[in-house]
Amino acid sequence: MADSTTAPQHDLLALRTRIDALDRELLALLNRRAALAQEVGEVKKKEGSVAFRPEREAQVIDGLKAANPGPLKSASVAPIWREIMSACRALETPTRVAYLGPAGTFSEEAALGFFGSSIVRVPCANFDEVLHNTVAGSADFGVVPVENSTEGVVTRSLDLFLTTPLFIIGETSLLVRHNLLRRDNTLAGIQAVCAHPQALAQCHGWLSLHLPEAERRPVSSNAEGARLAAGDASIAAIASERAGSEFGLHVVAPAIQDEAHNRTRFAILAHPDRQPRPAASGHDCTSLVVSVANKPGAVHDMLVPLKKHGVSMSRFESRPARSGQWEYYFYIDLQGHPDQPQVAAAMQELRAVCAFFKLLGTYPIDVH
């Protein structure tokens, strides 16, 4: 009597053989794509144009998602093709990206998610250093967090936008899953929890319930907290699983953020002398920072041009101007691109009623 497992094993072997053959076909196609990318790179060098065009990559991914017949989920298309485009781009020129380090931070994860893993990583000690390296040319792009779904805006980033010559050429959002990491796989004996202030705030409820006596110690990044925890058994860190693997720590408690769908939005920055403003992609965001005179009706007057020309706002935040006069800067995200007539008209009229007006960037909306 034949073994009952023989037929299933034969079927599995046949399927694996077909998959292996398809993998070789995919590899051959990817190398054909890479060769074409190299030809594109040569043309760009002759023209003096840049290697990375965020609007072009957004259009490629959008087109593939629209044409996807399944069963591959459309949500899987973007990360797969970002890696393909990253590997092909690296054949043209290395892409240097600055972000808040060390290894294992959410900023690093955001950088890899946006550019793919074929980049030169430039980890920095703080947001100021990220911008400095990008302005100086030590990095081609900088990545900084600007907004969290739980804690709101990242104030240091917004304040830096006021004076930097950099502008926003892209955005990406990241589902932030905070984990309690430690050398010992227990909550007992934890005297301090180290993390970035934003992470400590996002886990306030869990920490109050489970570690009410532990000191909450702010540090420059979550990965820095993980590094400290690796050297001291009395310290726990709040960080990603990647940071835990990087520093050899146990995940004592997973997903301790107070909001289950905790997301952070990151801005991708570049210098206008080295990277052109992205052209319209069809689904764009335009970011501004403005201020108006401190008088009755000033904010209303600022919003009238937007309503008049049918331009929608997706974000409106205020920050003190630090002038001592109770004046504010307003950070505004508009739906659309300045190349669109209604957006251009609204911005022209808005500029006329503002005491301060700065275009922070225009870029494709996150396609993840």
PDB file of all heavy atoms in Angstrom, residues 312-343:
ATOM      1  N   SER A 312      -8.929  72.941  -0.356  1.00  0.00           N
ATOM      2  CA  SER A 312      -9.167  72.368   0.966  1.00  0.00           C
ATOM      3  C   SER A 312      -7.894  72.322   1.798  1.00  0.00           C
ATOM      4  O   SER A 312      -6.796  72.117   1.269  1.00  0.00           O
ATOM      5  CB  SER A 312      -9.731  70.949   0.836  1.00  0.00           C
ATOM      6  OG  SER A 312     -10.986  70.967   0.201  1.00  0.00           O
ATOM      7  N   MET A 313      -8.058  72.495   3.107  1.00  0.00           N
ATOM      8  CA  MET A 313      -6.960  72.320   4.057  1.00  0.00           C
ATOM      9  C   MET A 313      -7.054  70.923   4.666  1.00  0.00           C
ATOM     10  O   MET A 313      -8.136  70.469   5.014  1.00  0.00           O
ATOM     11  CB  MET A 313      -7.050  73.341   5.199  1.00  0.00           C
ATOM     12  CG  MET A 313      -6.626  74.723   4.848  1.00  0.00           C
ATOM     13  SD  MET A 313      -6.416  75.743   6.345  1.00  0.00           S
ATOM     14  CE  MET A 313      -8.008  75.558   7.129  1.00  0.00           C
ATOM     15  N   SER A 314      -5.915  70.261   4.822  1.00  0.00           N
ATOM     16  CA  SER A 314      -5.895  68.982   5.522  1.00  0.00           C
ATOM     17  C   SER A 314      -5.209  69.097   6.886  1.00  0.00           C
ATOM     18  O   SER A 314      -5.242  68.161   7.678  1.00  0.00           O
ATOM     19  CB  SER A 314      -5.184  67.922   4.670  1.00  0.00           C
ATOM     20  OG  SER A 314      -3.879  68.343   4.319  1.00  0.00           O
ATOM     21  N   ARG A 315      -4.581  70.262   7.143  1.00  0.00           N
ATOM     22  CA  ARG A 315      -3.961  70.477   8.469  1.00  0.00           C
ATOM     23  C   ARG A 315      -3.862  71.972   8.726  1.00  0.00           C
ATOM     24  O   ARG A 315      -3.584  72.766   7.828  1.00  0.00           O
ATOM     25  CB  ARG A 315      -2.565  69.844   8.523  1.00  0.00           C
ATOM     26  CG  ARG A 315      -1.917  69.924   9.913  1.00  0.00           C
ATOM     27  CD  ARG A 315      -0.719  69.008  10.005  1.00  0.00           C
ATOM     28  NE  ARG A 315       0.398  69.474   9.202  1.00  0.00           N
ATOM     29  CZ  ARG A 315       1.554  69.926   9.708  1.00  0.00           C
ATOM     30  NH1 ARG A 315       1.735  69.972  11.017  1.00  0.00           N
ATOM     31  NH2 ARG A 315       2.533  70.305   8.923  1.00  0.00           N
ATOM     32  N   PHE A 316      -4.076  72.340   9.992  1.00  0.00           N
ATOM     33  CA  PHE A 316      -3.969  73.740  10.408  1.00  0.00           C
ATOM     34  C   PHE A 316      -3.486  73.730  11.853  1.00  0.00           C
ATOM     35  O   PHE A 316      -4.214  73.343  12.760  1.00  0.00           O
ATOM     36  CB  PHE A 316      -5.335  74.428  10.294  1.00  0.00           C
ATOM     37  CG  PHE A 316      -5.307  75.908  10.580  1.00  0.00           C
ATOM     38  CD1 PHE A 316      -4.958  76.812   9.593  1.00  0.00           C
ATOM     39  CD2 PHE A 316      -5.628  76.398  11.837  1.00  0.00           C
ATOM     40  CE1 PHE A 316      -4.934  78.187   9.844  1.00  0.00           C
ATOM     41  CE2 PHE A 316      -5.612  77.756  12.100  1.00  0.00           C
ATOM     42  CZ  PHE A 316      -5.267  78.653  11.105  1.00  0.00           C
ATOM     43  N   GLU A 317      -2.234  74.096  12.079  1.00  0.00           N
ATOM     44  CA  GLU A 317      -1.629  74.081  13.410  1.00  0.00           C
ATOM     45  C   GLU A 317      -1.047  75.460  13.713  1.00  0.00           C
ATOM     46  O   GLU A 317      -0.588  76.163  12.809  1.00  0.00           O
ATOM     47  CB  GLU A 317      -0.496  73.047  13.493  1.00  0.00           C
ATOM     48  CG  GLU A 317      -0.888  71.617  13.179  1.00  0.00           C
ATOM     49  CD  GLU A 317      -1.542  70.912  14.346  1.00  0.00           C
ATOM     50  OE1 GLU A 317      -1.563  71.507  15.458  1.00  0.00           O
ATOM     51  OE2 GLU A 317      -2.022  69.784  14.160  1.00  0.00           O
ATOM     52  N   SER A 318      -1.049  75.829  14.989  1.00  0.00           N
ATOM     53  CA  SER A 318      -0.438  77.098  15.379  1.00  0.00           C
ATOM     54  C   SER A 318       0.715  76.848  16.340  1.00  0.00           C
ATOM     55  O   SER A 318       0.697  75.891  17.120  1.00  0.00           O
ATOM     56  CB  SER A 318      -1.468  78.014  16.038  1.00  0.00           C
ATOM     57  OG  SER A 318      -1.957  77.449  17.242  1.00  0.00           O
ATOM     58  N   ARG A 319       1.727  77.721  16.245  1.00  0.00           N
ATOM     59  CA  ARG A 319       2.883  77.689  17.145  1.00  0.00           C
ATOM     60  C   ARG A 319       3.203  79.119  17.566  1.00  0.00           C
ATOM     61  O   ARG A 319       3.172  80.039  16.733  1.00  0.00           O
ATOM     62  CB  ARG A 319       4.110  77.090  16.440  1.00  0.00           C
ATOM     63  CG  ARG A 319       4.045  75.603  16.214  1.00  0.00           C
ATOM     64  CD  ARG A 319       4.348  74.827  17.486  1.00  0.00           C
ATOM     65  NE  ARG A 319       5.711  75.066  17.928  1.00  0.00           N
ATOM     66  CZ  ARG A 319       6.091  75.057  19.218  1.00  0.00           C
ATOM     67  NH1 ARG A 319       5.201  74.876  20.158  1.00  0.00           N
ATOM     68  NH2 ARG A 319       7.359  75.248  19.539  1.00  0.00           N
ATOM     69  N   PRO A 320       3.539  79.354  18.834  1.00  0.00           N
ATOM     70  CA  PRO A 320       3.907  80.718  19.265  1.00  0.00           C
ATOM     71  C   PRO A 320       5.099  81.246  18.487  1.00  0.00           C
ATOM     72  O   PRO A 320       6.052  80.510  18.201  1.00  0.00           O
ATOM     73  CB  PRO A 320       4.257  80.527  20.747  1.00  0.00           C
ATOM     74  CG  PRO A 320       3.587  79.267  21.161  1.00  0.00           C
ATOM     75  CD  PRO A 320       3.578  78.387  19.950  1.00  0.00           C
ATOM     76  N   ALA A 321       5.046  82.537  18.150  1.00  0.00           N
ATOM     77  CA  ALA A 321       6.138  83.159  17.396  1.00  0.00           C
ATOM     78  C   ALA A 321       7.322  83.535  18.291  1.00  0.00           C
ATOM     79  O   ALA A 321       8.359  83.961  17.797  1.00  0.00           O
ATOM     80  CB  ALA A 321       5.623  84.405  16.674  1.00  0.00           C
ATOM     81  N   ARG A 322       7.147  83.392  19.604  1.00  0.00           N
ATOM     82  CA  ARG A 322       8.217  83.688  20.580  1.00  0.00           C
ATOM     83  C   ARG A 322       8.671  85.138  20.505  1.00  0.00           C
ATOM     84  O   ARG A 322       9.836  85.445  20.756  1.00  0.00           O
ATOM     85  CB  ARG A 322       9.401  82.739  20.385  1.00  0.00           C
ATOM     86  CG  ARG A 322       9.037  81.268  20.600  1.00  0.00           C
ATOM     87  CD  ARG A 322      10.243  80.357  20.501  1.00  0.00           C
ATOM     88  NE  ARG A 322       9.875  78.977  20.747  1.00  0.00           N
ATOM     89  CZ  ARG A 322      10.732  77.952  20.696  1.00  0.00           C
ATOM     90  NH1 ARG A 322      11.998  78.192  20.400  1.00  0.00           N
ATOM     91  NH2 ARG A 322      10.327  76.726  20.939  1.00  0.00           N
ATOM     92  N   SER A 323       7.759  86.015  20.132  1.00  0.00           N
ATOM     93  CA  SER A 323       8.084  87.434  20.059  1.00  0.00           C
ATOM     94  C   SER A 323       7.699  88.170  21.334  1.00  0.00           C
ATOM     95  O   SER A 323       8.037  89.343  21.504  1.00  0.00           O
ATOM     96  CB  SER A 323       7.336  88.062  18.878  1.00  0.00           C
ATOM     97  OG  SER A 323       5.937  87.983  19.081  1.00  0.00           O
ATOM     98  N   GLY A 324       6.962  87.489  22.217  1.00  0.00           N
ATOM     99  CA  GLY A 324       6.465  88.124  23.427  1.00  0.00           C
ATOM    100  C   GLY A 324       5.232  88.974  23.195  1.00  0.00           C
ATOM    101  O   GLY A 324       4.757  89.657  24.109  1.00  0.00           O
ATOM    102  N   GLN A 325       4.695  88.924  21.980  1.00  0.00           N
ATOM    103  CA  GLN A 325       3.535  89.755  21.632  1.00  0.00           C
ATOM    104  C   GLN A 325       2.282  88.912  21.394  1.00  0.00           C
ATOM    105  O   GLN A 325       1.325  89.372  20.805  1.00  0.00           O
ATOM    106  CB  GLN A 325       3.847  90.558  20.362  1.00  0.00           C
ATOM    107  CG  GLN A 325       5.074  91.443  20.470  1.00  0.00           C
ATOM    108  CD  GLN A 325       4.920  92.500  21.548  1.00  0.00           C
ATOM    109  OE1 GLN A 325       3.868  93.112  21.675  1.00  0.00           O
ATOM    110  NE2 GLN A 325       5.975  92.706  22.328  1.00  0.00           N
ATOM    111  N   TRP A 326       2.294  87.660  21.829  1.00  0.00           N
ATOM    112  CA  TRP A 326       1.169  86.739  21.625  1.00  0.00           C
ATOM    113  C   TRP A 326       0.841  86.596  20.133  1.00  0.00           C
ATOM    114  O   TRP A 326      -0.309  86.564  19.726  1.00  0.00           O
ATOM    115  CB  TRP A 326      -0.078  87.185  22.405  1.00  0.00           C
ATOM    116  CG  TRP A 326       0.156  87.198  23.877  1.00  0.00           C
ATOM    117  CD1 TRP A 326       0.347  88.287  24.668  1.00  0.00           C
ATOM    118  CD2 TRP A 326       0.272  86.064  24.728  1.00  0.00           C
ATOM    119  NE1 TRP A 326       0.566  87.911  25.965  1.00  0.00           N
ATOM    120  CE2 TRP A 326       0.517  86.538  26.042  1.00  0.00           C
ATOM    121  CE3 TRP A 326       0.180  84.688  24.545  1.00  0.00           C
ATOM    122  CZ2 TRP A 326       0.680  85.699  27.127  1.00  0.00           C
ATOM    123  CZ3 TRP A 326       0.336  83.842  25.627  1.00  0.00           C
ATOM    124  CH2 TRP A 326       0.588  84.344  26.905  1.00  0.00           C
ATOM    125  N   GLU A 327       1.884  86.501  19.332  1.00  0.00           N
ATOM    126  CA  GLU A 327       1.731  86.275  17.901  1.00  0.00           C
ATOM    127  C   GLU A 327       2.030  84.807  17.599  1.00  0.00           C
ATOM    128  O   GLU A 327       2.759  84.141  18.335  1.00  0.00           O
ATOM    129  CB  GLU A 327       2.676  87.186  17.115  1.00  0.00           C
ATOM    130  CG  GLU A 327       2.339  88.664  17.282  1.00  0.00           C
ATOM    131  CD  GLU A 327       3.373  89.567  16.652  1.00  0.00           C
ATOM    132  OE1 GLU A 327       4.531  89.143  16.539  1.00  0.00           O
ATOM    133  OE2 GLU A 327       3.001  90.696  16.288  1.00  0.00           O
ATOM    134  N   TYR A 328       1.462  84.324  16.481  1.00  0.00           N
ATOM    135  CA  TYR A 328       1.561  82.898  16.173  1.00  0.00           C
ATOM    136  C   TYR A 328       1.935  82.680  14.716  1.00  0.00           C
ATOM    137  O   TYR A 328       1.599  83.481  13.836  1.00  0.00           O
ATOM    138  CB  TYR A 328       0.218  82.200  16.453  1.00  0.00           C
ATOM    139  CG  TYR A 328      -0.102  82.093  17.925  1.00  0.00           C
ATOM    140  CD1 TYR A 328      -0.714  83.148  18.601  1.00  0.00           C
ATOM    141  CD2 TYR A 328       0.225  80.953  18.653  1.00  0.00           C
ATOM    142  CE1 TYR A 328      -0.991  83.068  19.950  1.00  0.00           C
ATOM    143  CE2 TYR A 328      -0.051  80.860  20.004  1.00  0.00           C
ATOM    144  CZ  TYR A 328      -0.652  81.917  20.648  1.00  0.00           C
ATOM    145  OH  TYR A 328      -0.920  81.836  21.995  1.00  0.00           O
ATOM    146  N   TYR A 329       2.624  81.554  14.484  1.00  0.00           N
ATOM    147  CA  TYR A 329       2.804  81.031  13.137  1.00  0.00           C
ATOM    148  C   TYR A 329       1.750  79.953  12.922  1.00  0.00           C
ATOM    149  O   TYR A 329       1.444  79.169  13.829  1.00  0.00           O
ATOM    150  CB  TYR A 329       4.201  80.427  12.966  1.00  0.00           C
ATOM    151  CG  TYR A 329       5.306  81.448  12.917  1.00  0.00           C
ATOM    152  CD1 TYR A 329       6.232  81.553  13.951  1.00  0.00           C
ATOM    153  CD2 TYR A 329       5.443  82.293  11.815  1.00  0.00           C
ATOM    154  CE1 TYR A 329       7.254  82.484  13.901  1.00  0.00           C
ATOM    155  CE2 TYR A 329       6.462  83.226  11.762  1.00  0.00           C
ATOM    156  CZ  TYR A 329       7.365  83.317  12.806  1.00  0.00           C
ATOM    157  OH  TYR A 329       8.377  84.249  12.758  1.00  0.00           O
ATOM    158  N   PHE A 330       1.228  79.883  11.705  1.00  0.00           N
ATOM    159  CA  PHE A 330       0.237  78.874  11.357  1.00  0.00           C
ATOM    160  C   PHE A 330       0.819  77.954  10.291  1.00  0.00           C
ATOM    161  O   PHE A 330       1.291  78.423   9.246  1.00  0.00           O
ATOM    162  CB  PHE A 330      -1.050  79.534  10.843  1.00  0.00           C
ATOM    163  CG  PHE A 330      -1.724  80.402  11.863  1.00  0.00           C
ATOM    164  CD1 PHE A 330      -1.485  81.769  11.896  1.00  0.00           C
ATOM    165  CD2 PHE A 330      -2.580  79.856  12.809  1.00  0.00           C
ATOM    166  CE1 PHE A 330      -2.097  82.581  12.845  1.00  0.00           C
ATOM    167  CE2 PHE A 330      -3.194  80.660  13.764  1.00  0.00           C
ATOM    168  CZ  PHE A 330      -2.951  82.019  13.789  1.00  0.00           C
ATOM    169  N   TYR A 331       0.801  76.670  10.588  1.00  0.00           N
ATOM    170  CA  TYR A 331       1.294  75.651   9.661  1.00  0.00           C
ATOM    171  C   TYR A 331       0.085  75.040   8.957  1.00  0.00           C
ATOM    172  O   TYR A 331      -0.816  74.505   9.606  1.00  0.00           O
ATOM    173  CB  TYR A 331       2.086  74.581  10.405  1.00  0.00           C
ATOM    174  CG  TYR A 331       3.385  75.107  10.989  1.00  0.00           C
ATOM    175  CD1 TYR A 331       3.397  75.811  12.191  1.00  0.00           C
ATOM    176  CD2 TYR A 331       4.593  74.911  10.325  1.00  0.00           C
ATOM    177  CE1 TYR A 331       4.582  76.312  12.722  1.00  0.00           C
ATOM    178  CE2 TYR A 331       5.786  75.400  10.851  1.00  0.00           C
ATOM    179  CZ  TYR A 331       5.766  76.094  12.045  1.00  0.00           C
ATOM    180  OH  TYR A 331       6.940  76.592  12.565  1.00  0.00           O
ATOM    181  N   ILE A 332       0.077  75.141   7.640  1.00  0.00           N
ATOM    182  CA  ILE A 332      -1.091  74.767   6.854  1.00  0.00           C
ATOM    183  C   ILE A 332      -0.691  73.755   5.779  1.00  0.00           C
ATOM    184  O   ILE A 332       0.321  73.938   5.090  1.00  0.00           O
ATOM    185  CB  ILE A 332      -1.712  76.008   6.170  1.00  0.00           C
ATOM    186  CG1 ILE A 332      -2.083  77.067   7.217  1.00  0.00           C
ATOM    187  CG2 ILE A 332      -2.931  75.624   5.336  1.00  0.00           C
ATOM    188  CD1 ILE A 332      -2.524  78.386   6.601  1.00  0.00           C
ATOM    189  N   ASP A 333      -1.483  72.696   5.640  1.00  0.00           N
ATOM    190  CA  ASP A 333      -1.350  71.771   4.520  1.00  0.00           C
ATOM    191  C   ASP A 333      -2.547  71.957   3.606  1.00  0.00           C
ATOM    192  O   ASP A 333      -3.702  71.878   4.052  1.00  0.00           O
ATOM    193  CB  ASP A 333      -1.302  70.316   4.998  1.00  0.00           C
ATOM    194  CG  ASP A 333       0.044  69.934   5.582  1.00  0.00           C
ATOM    195  OD1 ASP A 333       0.988  70.731   5.462  1.00  0.00           O
ATOM    196  OD2 ASP A 333       0.144  68.840   6.165  1.00  0.00           O
ATOM    197  N   LEU A 334      -2.285  72.207   2.343  1.00  0.00           N
ATOM    198  CA  LEU A 334      -3.338  72.368   1.342  1.00  0.00           C
ATOM    199  C   LEU A 334      -3.371  71.145   0.436  1.00  0.00           C
ATOM    200  O   LEU A 334      -2.329  70.566   0.117  1.00  0.00           O
ATOM    201  CB  LEU A 334      -3.075  73.604   0.477  1.00  0.00           C
ATOM    202  CG  LEU A 334      -2.894  74.944   1.187  1.00  0.00           C
ATOM    203  CD1 LEU A 334      -2.626  76.036   0.159  1.00  0.00           C
ATOM    204  CD2 LEU A 334      -4.121  75.277   2.026  1.00  0.00           C
ATOM    205  N   GLN A 335      -4.558  70.765   0.012  1.00  0.00           N
ATOM    206  CA  GLN A 335      -4.690  69.686  -0.960  1.00  0.00           C
ATOM    207  C   GLN A 335      -4.502  70.258  -2.355  1.00  0.00           C
ATOM    208  O   GLN A 335      -5.221  71.168  -2.767  1.00  0.00           O
ATOM    209  CB  GLN A 335      -6.061  69.022  -0.829  1.00  0.00           C
ATOM    210  CG  GLN A 335      -6.253  68.266   0.473  1.00  0.00           C
ATOM    211  CD  GLN A 335      -7.602  67.586   0.559  1.00  0.00           C
ATOM    212  OE1 GLN A 335      -8.381  67.594  -0.382  1.00  0.00           O
ATOM    213  NE2 GLN A 335      -7.893  67.002   1.709  1.00  0.00           N
ATOM    214  N   GLY A 336      -3.493  69.735  -3.066  1.00  0.00           N
ATOM    215  CA  GLY A 336      -3.231  70.212  -4.413  1.00  0.00           C
ATOM    216  C   GLY A 336      -1.803  70.685  -4.593  1.00  0.00           C
ATOM    217  O   GLY A 336      -0.985  70.643  -3.664  1.00  0.00           O
ATOM    218  N   HIS A 337      -1.503  71.151  -5.796  1.00  0.00           N
ATOM    219  CA  HIS A 337      -0.146  71.540  -6.200  1.00  0.00           C
ATOM    220  C   HIS A 337      -0.182  72.963  -6.753  1.00  0.00           C
ATOM    221  O   HIS A 337      -1.146  73.343  -7.427  1.00  0.00           O
ATOM    222  CB  HIS A 337       0.353  70.561  -7.271  1.00  0.00           C
ATOM    223  CG  HIS A 337       1.804  70.667  -7.585  1.00  0.00           C
ATOM    224  ND1 HIS A 337       2.318  71.660  -8.398  1.00  0.00           N
ATOM    225  CD2 HIS A 337       2.862  69.908  -7.198  1.00  0.00           C
ATOM    226  CE1 HIS A 337       3.621  71.504  -8.508  1.00  0.00           C
ATOM    227  NE2 HIS A 337       3.979  70.444  -7.796  1.00  0.00           N
ATOM    228  N   PRO A 338       0.860  73.770  -6.520  1.00  0.00           N
ATOM    229  CA  PRO A 338       0.869  75.145  -7.029  1.00  0.00           C
ATOM    230  C   PRO A 338       0.758  75.262  -8.544  1.00  0.00           C
ATOM    231  O   PRO A 338       0.444  76.342  -9.062  1.00  0.00           O
ATOM    232  CB  PRO A 338       2.218  75.692  -6.536  1.00  0.00           C
ATOM    233  CG  PRO A 338       2.539  74.882  -5.339  1.00  0.00           C
ATOM    234  CD  PRO A 338       2.010  73.509  -5.631  1.00  0.00           C
ATOM    235  N   ASP A 339       1.034  74.178  -9.275  1.00  0.00           N
ATOM    236  CA  ASP A 339       0.864  74.213 -10.725  1.00  0.00           C
ATOM    237  C   ASP A 339      -0.612  74.206 -11.133  1.00  0.00           C
ATOM    238  O   ASP A 339      -0.929  74.491 -12.291  1.00  0.00           O
ATOM    239  CB  ASP A 339       1.570  73.026 -11.386  1.00  0.00           C
ATOM    240  CG  ASP A 339       3.092  73.164 -11.347  1.00  0.00           C
ATOM    241  OD1 ASP A 339       3.580  74.270 -11.040  1.00  0.00           O
ATOM    242  OD2 ASP A 339       3.788  72.162 -11.610  1.00  0.00           O
ATOM    243  N   GLN A 340      -1.496  73.874 -10.197  1.00  0.00           N
ATOM    244  CA  GLN A 340      -2.934  73.916 -10.478  1.00  0.00           C
ATOM    245  C   GLN A 340      -3.416  75.361 -10.334  1.00  0.00           C
ATOM    246  O   GLN A 340      -3.114  76.022  -9.334  1.00  0.00           O
ATOM    247  CB  GLN A 340      -3.693  73.004  -9.518  1.00  0.00           C
ATOM    248  CG  GLN A 340      -3.327  71.520  -9.672  1.00  0.00           C
ATOM    249  CD  GLN A 340      -3.960  70.670  -8.573  1.00  0.00           C
ATOM    250  OE1 GLN A 340      -3.580  70.744  -7.410  1.00  0.00           O
ATOM    251  NE2 GLN A 340      -4.934  69.875  -8.974  1.00  0.00           N
ATOM    252  N   PRO A 341      -4.167  75.867 -11.295  1.00  0.00           N
ATOM    253  CA  PRO A 341      -4.559  77.285 -11.279  1.00  0.00           C
ATOM    254  C   PRO A 341      -5.261  77.727 -10.008  1.00  0.00           C
ATOM    255  O   PRO A 341      -4.977  78.811  -9.482  1.00  0.00           O
ATOM    256  CB  PRO A 341      -5.484  77.401 -12.499  1.00  0.00           C
ATOM    257  CG  PRO A 341      -5.070  76.288 -13.405  1.00  0.00           C
ATOM    258  CD  PRO A 341      -4.635  75.173 -12.506  1.00  0.00           C
ATOM    259  N   GLN A 342      -6.182  76.894  -9.476  1.00  0.00           N
ATOM    260  CA  GLN A 342      -6.931  77.322  -8.287  1.00  0.00           C
ATOM    261  C   GLN A 342      -6.033  77.388  -7.057  1.00  0.00           C
ATOM    262  O   GLN A 342      -6.195  78.259  -6.194  1.00  0.00           O
ATOM    263  CB  GLN A 342      -8.137  76.401  -8.042  1.00  0.00           C
ATOM    264  CG  GLN A 342      -7.813  75.009  -7.511  1.00  0.00           C
ATOM    265  CD  GLN A 342      -7.464  74.008  -8.594  1.00  0.00           C
ATOM    266  OE1 GLN A 342      -7.114  74.397  -9.716  1.00  0.00           O
ATOM    267  NE2 GLN A 342      -7.580  72.725  -8.271  1.00  0.00           N
ATOM    268  N   VAL A 343      -5.052  76.488  -6.976  1.00  0.00           N
ATOM    269  CA  VAL A 343      -4.119  76.504  -5.851  1.00  0.00           C
ATOM    270  C   VAL A 343      -3.197  77.713  -5.966  1.00  0.00           C
ATOM    271  O   VAL A 343      -2.942  78.421  -4.979  1.00  0.00           O
ATOM    272  CB  VAL A 343      -3.308  75.192  -5.786  1.00  0.00           C
ATOM    273  CG1 VAL A 343      -2.283  75.249  -4.649  1.00  0.00           C
ATOM    274  CG2 VAL A 343      -4.236  73.998  -5.602  1.00  0.00           C
TER     275      VAL A 343
END
